[in-house]
Amino acid sequence: MTVRHKNHKATTAFLALALAGAVVTPAAAAGRPSAAGRPSAEGIWRVTGYGTVLSITAGRLREYQTTAAGCAPGDTARRTGPGTYTDDEGSVYTVGPQEKPHGRPQGRSQGRSQGTLRIAGSPGYRELRRLAALPEECERPLPADPVAAFDVLWHSFEENYPFFAAKDIDWHAVRDTYRPRIDAGTTRDELFAVFSEMVAPLYDAHVAVLDGDRHFARIRPGTTMPSEELDTKVRKYVERRDLGGRKLREFAGGRIGYADLPGGQGYLRISGFAGYAGQERSYAAHLAQLDKALDAVLTAERTASLDGLIIDLRINGGGYDSLGLHVAERLTDTPYVAYRKRTQYTRPQPITVEPARGVPRYTGPVALLTGGSTVSAGETFTQALMDRPGRTVRIGEATQGVFSDTMDRKLPNGMAVWLPNEEFLTRSGRTFDGSGIPPRLRTPVFTEEEFAKNRDSAFDAAVAVLARGGRGR
């Protein structure tokens, strides 16, 4: 679909939400109940707040991407269960009846005209509104000329990007500056350069312009995106310097590592919330590997004896938000709201952390290490621990500042653009997009000086804080 999971590691390895189908029959459009008595998923649905229309019929689901500039078809997913569709990447999408804010289905009459879309790995749901027919503009192909591509890109941001005001960007002035430079003779290279110039001032790691093998993206100034090279360098540094030469016990494809520390503390390193299951790409496979890791680390004996837990996210390229919440469920005995999600067109939807059942849980003090290379799902996990019952102190530097799932917009000339459209709100209604989540205790994080002088100030501060029972300054 137009909204991708934040299943990227470092740069552009996002997992697409691809949906497709065909023209719906009148019976399906009317919301005929299924054999099980539930409203049929088949029909035409608008995904509120996501610039998307879905056509579901004959076991296939098609996505249409809509803006004021027109409508373009997306990709396909096949039905793999009642109301459930799976794309070629193994991602699973479930269309169901409308839900109340606390998660229970609405009545049958409402369910026929309203529904929800759930995406495995992305917390919460998206609201669906049934349409009588596919919008007329979706029956007409968009022209493939440079001007049409410009208009689709500009309107995609104009209608969905929530952060122009916070970043002091006049997007209408951007259009007035760049659109006169585009005409039928504009080359592909020239258009790619214009699009890159347009989005560069956003400094948003969830914004990208793509054209075949080339892409343009910018991150928050003064930060570094995670990479395999940086991850390996830091892991070896931590093992040598912080663990005294001991190797981490690794899980989930090396993305999770654990070591017991002197003084009854534990060290849990999470370098991503994806990439756990090798070539297996489904969320269920990643979740199974995460459970294996957590079962091995958070045993009954260890959770009872730990005097403090360091969770290191300083190099974390993101992934599935739901995996982060799954970790949080092992760190509390009390339900609480992690954050609230909304688009510019939807109400804030509370995303809760429920204590994990049937497994040991650690509820003692946590020192959470973050930095500018803590990205996306690493940041939503950080936000999910902000209101965690018990003592949690953030140490290091501010996170990257990108939280939303990513809209994947196809341009009519074959290029594409990615952009965020969601806000993740704190209890007070604040967002951290752009600036990132600040630490409670600020220290350097993997600077050249830290490496040169054999320092790890954030780690040392965490050990000291936990020795005081998790109480920061």
Side-chain angles (χ1 to χ4, degrees):
M1 203 172 92
T2 58
V3 178
R4 297 175 177 263
H5 309 299
K6 294 188 290 291
N7 181 26
H8 67 291
K9 187 177 72 66
T11 51
T12 59
F14 287 88
L15 183 63
L17 170 55
L19 304 174
V23 179
V24 66
T25 64
R32 182 175 57 199
S34 67
R38 297 175 55 201
S40 172
E42 295 206 345
I44 306 295
W45 300 94
R46 183 176 298 281
V47 187
T48 305
Y50 289 84
T52 302
V53 171
L54 305 179
S55 170
I56 306 175
T57 187
R60 304 292 289 179
L61 195 155
R62 175 179 295 275
E63 169 216 24
Y64 292 87
Q65 301 173 1
T66 62
T67 67
C71 174
D75 300 313
T76 66
R78 68 191 186 283
R79 186 170 61 205
T80 50
T84 300
Y85 301 83
T86 304
D87 68 14
D88 291 339
E89 298 289 338
S91 300
V92 178
Y93 316 100
T94 302
V95 178
Q98 185 186 28
E99 299 184 17
K100 294 180 180 179
H102 53 289
R104 291 189 301 184
Q106 298 278 43
R108 177 175 295 181
S109 61
Q110 288 178 305
R112 295 182 184 182
S113 62
Q114 302 174 20
T116 58
L117 174 68
R118 288 188 175 271
I119 307 171
S122 182
Y125 58 86
R126 289 157 197 177
E127 298 175 357
L128 300 177
R129 300 278 177 174
R130 193 181 291 276
L131 303 179
L134 195 67
E136 288 185 10
E137 60 268 26
C138 295
E139 304 280 10
R140 299 189 298 268
L142 285 167
D145 61 87
V147 174
F150 179 99
D151 288 343
V152 171
L153 181 144
W154 187 86
H155 278 285
S156 295
F157 279 86
E158 166 69 9
E159 297 168 22
N160 296 289
Y161 191 74
F163 310 117
F164 286 126
K167 296 186 176 186
D168 196 26
I169 300 293
D170 185 341
W171 192 238
H172 288 254
V174 170
R175 178 191 57 190
D176 295 343
T177 298
Y178 288 100
R179 198 175 190 278
R181 293 168 51 178
I182 308 301
D183 57 34
T186 301
T187 68
R188 202 172 188 90
D189 288 345
E190 291 169 340
L191 192 63
F192 185 84
V194 166
F195 289 165
S196 300
E197 289 180 34
M198 290 170 64
V199 304
L202 297 174
Y203 291 102
D204 190 321
H206 274 175
V207 169
V209 179
L210 303 98
D211 182 24
D213 292 334
R214 61 179 173 177
H215 77 276
F216 175 87
R218 283 273 182 91
I219 62 175
R220 180 163 62 82
T223 64
T224 302
M225 286 297 282
S227 66
E228 290 284 357
E229 181 181 5
L230 180 60
D231 183 50
T232 299
K233 176 182 178 179
V234 166
R235 175 178 50 77
K236 291 181 177 179
Y237 186 78
V238 167
E239 289 176 335
R240 179 186 60 79
R241 193 266 181 196
D242 300 332
L243 304 183
R246 291 181 294 127
K247 297 291 185 181
L248 286 163
R249 184 182 177 189
E250 294 190 335
F251 309 90
R255 288 289 175 222
I256 298 174
Y258 180 80
D260 288 312
L261 301 176
Q265 299 174 4
Y267 173 81
L268 179 63
R269 183 173 187 264
I270 306 176
S271 63
F273 289 101
Y276 292 174
Q279 297 301 313
E280 177 57 57
R281 293 174 292 187
S282 72
Y283 172 74
H286 294 296
L287 180 61
Q289 292 301 315
L290 176 59
D291 273 331
K292 287 182 180 180
L294 295 176
D295 289 344
V297 171
L298 298 177
T299 62
E301 180 181 4
R302 185 172 282 121
T303 54
S305 63
L306 276 179
D307 289 330
L309 179 64
I310 299 172
I311 302 179
D312 191 348
L313 304 177
R314 288 175 291 177
I315 308 298
N316 185 295
Y320 292 100
D321 290 335
S322 292
L323 292 182
L325 292 174
H326 199 69
V327 177
E329 290 169 357
R330 300 279 189 121
L331 303 176
T332 182
D333 283 340
T334 305
Y336 67 96
V337 174
Y339 40 75
R340 291 170 173 81
K341 289 174 62 173
R342 72 177 179 192
T343 72
Q344 296 184 90
Y345 309 97
T346 58
R347 295 164 296 180
Q349 183 183 146
I351 306 299
T352 59
V353 175
E354 298 287 342
R357 296 182 178 181
V359 294
R361 297 186 296 268
Y362 172 75
T363 59
V366 169
L368 188 66
L369 309 186
T370 67
S373 299
T374 307
V375 181
S376 196
E379 301 183 80
T380 63
F381 174 65
T382 299
Q383 189 167 351
L385 295 191
M386 291 180 68
D387 288 329
R388 169 184 175 261
R391 297 182 295 279
T392 302
V393 58
R394 300 183 307 279
I395 301 173
E397 296 177 344
T399 64
Q400 175 64 215
V402 289
F403 296 77
S404 174
D405 287 349
T406 307
M407 300 184 76
D408 173 11
R409 299 306 240 187
K410 295 181 178 182
L411 304 184
N413 68 340
M415 298 170 69
V417 63
W418 296 347
L419 66 150
N421 73 317
E422 299 167 335
E423 295 177 288
F424 280 58
L425 307 176
T426 65
R427 184 166 47 188
S428 64
R430 178 180 179 182
T431 68
F432 294 102
D433 273 273
S435 63
I437 298 176
R440 170 89 176 273
L441 301 178
R442 187 173 297 276
T443 71
V445 172
F446 301 132
T447 63
E448 290 303 318
E449 183 178 7
E450 291 270 292
F451 285 129
K453 295 184 177 180
N454 195 37
R455 293 176 179 168
D456 190 347
S457 299
F459 180 88
D460 292 348
V463 170
V465 164
L466 294 178
R468 299 193 297 267
R471 293 181 291 275
R473 290 194 297 268

